[in-house]
Structures are given as structure tokens and as C-alpha cells.
Amino acid sequence: MATTHETIQAPVRASSIPAFDVKRVREDFPILKEKVHGKPLIYLDNAATSQKPEKVIQAILRFYAHDCANVHRGVHLLSERATEVYESARRKVQRFLNAADAREIVYVRGTTEALNLVAQTFGRRHVQAGDEILITAMEHHSNIVPWQMLCEEKGATLRVAPINDRGELILEEFEKLLSARTRLAAVAHVSNALGTVNPVRQIVQMAHARGIPVLVDGAQAVPHLKVDVQELGCDFYAFSGHKVFGPTGIGALYGKLELLEAMPPFQGGGDMISSVTFEKTIYNVVPYKFEAGTPDIAEVYGLEAALDYLHHVGLGNIASYEHALLAYATEAIQQIPGVRIIGTAREKTGVISFVLDGIHAHDVGTILDREGIAVRTGHHCAQPVMDRFGVPATVRASLAFYNTKQEINALAAGIQRVKAVFG
Ligand SMILES: Cc1ncc(COP(=O)(O)O)c(C=O)c1O
């Protein structure tokens, strides 16, 4: 790609990083031309959901305009076409995560459903009274509550590995909490509230050394990092399509084949069976055993287009560009007097959570919105993280590869304006 005035190079040898043309990439996202309160949209809420390239929007349209039919059930052409895309997209998700087998990819509505699926199937089967589930102090509510519900039902205990003042997992403490009673460790790959990247490979090695399986919540990782589940060695990996430039209502759960095969189904209904009588139902093979009912077919079309798009832009290019943009943004924001950044891990992706002295996060967000700047304010579905840092809420600016230095400058100017208003 050609270099533009907005090209940012990561702080490594320039020749080792492909130039990244953010101006051109922005053209692929129709919403980025939108005006908000009369100002150009500056979208910095990518950790909540990311924007969709034209190709994703077109793929959804293609399903409804040309291929609309149910999958797996029809002998007619439209159903065959829809089924073909539904299954070819599964193979794309497989390649995206580098899973060994397409049967290891289960479509779900999103990360939340994936985590609940594992809790209600694997968890219910393997967790007994007195057992433990280990999570970390930086988890999103969706990687806390399903385990709490399971523990409550089974009389098991939820253990929480602490984080340090930078927002990094304290690995020695995590290791100490892996006990003979631990049935599963469930950890975020990347924290949505802090941006911390966890050393998943090390975590998996520690847990596997004790025969404990590991589930990784990858919701915030896959939009920013190349993920290889075989290299990580994890047993389960979950992500949401809408955070990876795809549609809402679709995501994937990766599970090692032997684990998925041994797990009971999640929901009962059509498609998840191979035969039904009133006396006995024989379940379908994986992954269909976990995909009851008519799935989100249009969303699968969109997800496939999103993964193709990411492949086209290149996750390596994205990671380098975002790394440099995060460094730039951190520098710009932390030098504003009265700003405290929450989450300063050495390994981070593009999240800057901060508080502003004496000004509530919601007020900051509201004033920034008037400037066309979309940030998230609140607890980010990670209340225990807020408690850990002693704040009720933060302002979170979260980056994607279509954000620019100019937008970061506008954010910094916006924060100065907030300060002037409350001055
Ligand atoms: C780390 C993390 N896990 C899980 C989720 C839940 O994802 P979803 O709401 O798409 O199911 C989120 C969403 O923000 C997240 O950031």
C-alpha cells in the first residue's frame, strides 16, 4: 500500500513494517463518512463493537437478495448455496484461528453464548461440589457470571487470580491457585477494560502441567492479534463476529475435537439431532450437536466477508499500525494534566481507559460526543476491574486500524475542552 501523511510506523526497523494506508482503508467503511452533531464521526468505541466494511454489508445483502434459504435441509439450489457458504465460512474461521479441523468450530451468537455453552455442557459434566474454576481479576462479566452460576448450582468455588497495579496478571499467584480441585481455567486473551494482553501460552502450559483445561475469551484479541489456537495450546477459544468487523449475532467457539465430542449438547431442537423418537434421540455429530435450530445464516455470510477483509488488510499490518497508534495516543493523553490512565500493562492492545480528576466519566463522554467523538464510559462490563482500581467508571477510547493520529489529536483537544468546561 502507498504511504500517506497518515502512515504511522511502529518503533521497529522501518523496512520490516509494510506501509499501511489508513486513508485508503477508511474508504472501505461507509459509516466513517457519517456526521455526528454536525461534526465528522470519530469512532473510538471499537472494543464495544467495531464498524463494518462495505464488503460485509454487501455479503449480508447478498444472502437476503439472492441466496435466502435455510441451511442443511433443502435439496433446492438456494438452500445448497446457503449451505455451501455456511460451511465454507466455517473453514475460514478454522483457518483464522488455525484450528486443526473445521469440526472444532461451533457457530454461536457471540462470545457470551460460547462461554455459557462451555459452562452448561463441559462445566456441568465435569464440575462437582468442592471443585474450583479459576479466572482472573480482569475478566469481562461474561467470563465471570456463567462460572458463578455453575459454581452456585454445583457447590463449587470460583477462584480469582489477582492483577498488579499496571493491570497485568500476577502469574505466580495464578499458578498458586491452580489446584487439584481446579476443573477449568478461564482467562481473557485481552482485557476489554485495560487492554492488557495475557501470556496465554504460559498460562496454558502452567494449567496443562496439572491436567487442567484452559478456555480463552478472545473477544478483544482477534481484532488485533494473529491467533493460533494450536500454538497457544488452549482447549477452548471464543470470539464475537461484531468485534472483528463482522455482524452482530454471530461468533465462534473453538474446542478441541475430543472435548467437543465428549460434551453433552447445549440446546435441543432441529439440526442438532441425527434421529428422534419419543423414546430416544440420537444427537448429531460435532459441531452440529451444538447448533440447534435455524442458525444466523446472513450473519455467517457477513462473518466470512469480515474474515476475508481482515486477511486482505493483513493482521500483521494491523498489529504494527495499531501498536504505533496506541503509543501515540498514550503519549498524547497521559500528558494532559489531571488524566490518569488505568491499565498500563507492558503488553497492550489499543485500549486507553482513563479517569479525569474531579470529572465524572459520563460527563467526559457526553461532552466528547458533542464533538463527534464516540468513546465508552462506565464499568465496561468489568465491575471488578473498576473495584480493583478504586474507580466507579472510566472513559475508554478503543482503537481500530481505521483510526488516525488526527483523530487522537481531536480526542486530546476534546479532553482539554472538557477540562475547560468544568474548569
Ligand atoms: C473480553 C470480552 N469478553 C466477552 C465479551 C462479550 O462479547 P459479546 O457481548 O459479543 O458476547 C466482551 C464484549 O465486550 C469482551 O470485551
Side-chain angles (χ1 to χ4, degrees):
M1 282 179 188
T3 304
T4 73
H5 65 289
E6 288 184 336
T7 299
I8 293 177
Q9 300 287 337
V12 291
R13 269 188 334 114
S15 60
S16 66
I17 297 175
F20 179 79
D21 189 345
V22 66
K23 232 176 161 181
R24 226 204 69 195
V25 157
R26 288 176 68 83
E27 292 295 313
D28 297 332
F29 292 80
I31 206 166
L32 297 180
K33 296 189 177 70
E34 204 63 20
K35 291 241 157 65
V36 171
H37 303 302
K39 309 257 171 70
L41 168 68
I42 295 180
Y43 188 76
L44 296 171
D45 194 16
N46 294 286
T49 198
S50 56
Q51 298 302 347
K52 320 305 172 201
E54 181 68 32
K55 285 214 178 330
V56 168
I57 299 165
Q58 288 303 326
I60 295 167
L61 193 71
R62 189 176 96 234
F63 172 71
Y64 286 119
H66 300 288
D67 294 359
C68 186
N70 214 327
V71 291
H72 297 150
R73 291 166 207 168
V75 290
H76 61 83
L77 184 68
L78 294 194
S79 179
E80 275 173 19
R81 282 213 296 252
T83 304
E84 204 175 299
V85 173
Y86 189 76
E87 293 305 330
S88 75
R90 194 191 304 276
R91 292 190 291 277
K92 282 208 177 125
V93 177
Q94 177 203 345
R95 285 199 291 279
F96 181 62
L97 297 179
N98 194 32
D101 193 308
R103 291 173 296 171
E104 296 181 317
I105 305 299
V106 179
Y107 287 128
V108 285
R109 274 178 48 236
T111 309
T112 302
E113 189 171 77
L115 301 175
N116 279 279
L117 188 159
V118 177
Q120 293 300 316
T121 58
F122 178 89
R124 270 193 166 158
R125 178 146 294 178
H126 293 286
V127 175
Q128 309 298 336
D131 286 345
E132 295 172 1
I133 306 273
L134 177 58
I135 60 170
T136 81
M138 70 177 85
E139 300 307 321
H140 185 279
H141 295 164
S142 65
N143 201 25
I144 301 173
V145 184
W147 310 117
Q148 273 177 333
M149 290 162 66
L150 178 69
C151 286
E152 205 169 302
E153 179 187 322
K154 296 288 190 172
T157 305
L158 189 66
R159 297 262 177 239
V160 184
I163 55 178
N164 64 22
D165 290 342
R166 304 175 74 110
E168 296 162 329
L169 178 64
I170 306 172
L171 265 183
E172 313 81 70
E173 297 297 324
F174 178 86
E175 188 164 30
K176 277 191 222 153
L177 286 165
L178 292 165
S179 80
R181 286 261 163 231
T182 314
R183 293 290 160 261
L184 182 78
V187 300
H189 196 166
V190 172
S191 152
N192 68 308
L194 303 166
T196 309
V197 181
N198 274 321
V200 168
R201 198 145 174 244
Q202 244 177 307
I203 287 171
V204 170
Q205 280 165 357
M206 282 175 177
H208 281 186
R210 294 158 179 86
I212 300 164
V214 178
L215 173 147
V216 181
D217 168 357
Q220 297 294 344
V222 289
H224 308 289
L225 311 169
K226 176 80 198 98
V227 171
D228 181 333
V229 289
Q230 294 189 75
E231 197 200 323
L232 293 174
C234 58
D235 300 274
F236 299 104
Y237 196 98
F239 77 90
S240 301
H242 71 97
K243 294 192 199 283
V244 75
F245 315 100
T248 53
I250 188 70
L253 170 70
Y254 157 81
K256 281 186 178 156
L257 193 57
E258 65 273 19
L259 290 176
L260 292 180
E261 280 176 339
M263 277 153 56
F266 178 39
Q267 295 174 329
D271 241 28
M272 54 75 72
I273 53 87
S274 71
S275 78
V276 178
T277 65
F278 288 121
E279 288 68 43
K280 182 155 180 66
T281 289
I282 312 284
Y283 302 130
N284 207 339
V285 293
V286 295
Y288 310 109
K289 180 170 76 173
F290 299 106
E291 294 177 2
T294 299
D296 301 293
I297 310 165
E299 289 72 16
V300 170
Y301 273 61
L303 179 63
E304 177 176 54
L307 298 186
D308 283 346
Y309 181 79
L310 267 186
H311 183 72
H312 164 75
V313 178
L315 267 163
N317 294 334
I318 289 173
S320 312
Y321 177 77
E322 287 184 356
H323 185 69
L325 191 62
L326 175 66
Y328 182 83
T330 305
E331 181 66 33
I333 290 168
Q334 77 186 359
Q335 69 187 4
I336 300 171
V339 163
R340 176 159 71 104
I341 292 184
I342 307 286
T344 51
R346 280 154 286 200
E347 283 285 322
K348 265 184 85 167
T349 61
V351 167
I352 302 176
S353 252
F354 63 94
V355 288
L356 201 48
D357 243 2
I359 307 174
H360 197 280
H362 290 292
D363 294 329
V364 180
T366 306
I367 294 175
L368 290 177
D369 176 56
R370 302 304 301 182
E371 303 293 325
I373 303 171
V375 293
R376 184 138 295 233
T377 63
H379 54 58
H380 318 295
C381 295
Q383 276 184 342
V385 173
M386 300 297 115
D387 295 344
R388 166 65 179 78
F389 287 92
V391 294
T394 70
V395 181
R396 182 185 69 185
S398 52
L399 311 177
F401 58 85
Y402 42 65
N403 291 127
T404 66
K405 269 169 83 169
Q406 284 75 6
E407 290 181 322
I408 299 302
N409 295 343
L411 171 66
I415 297 169
Q416 297 285 13
R417 210 156 297 129
V418 173
K419 285 181 58 180
V421 170
F422 283 86

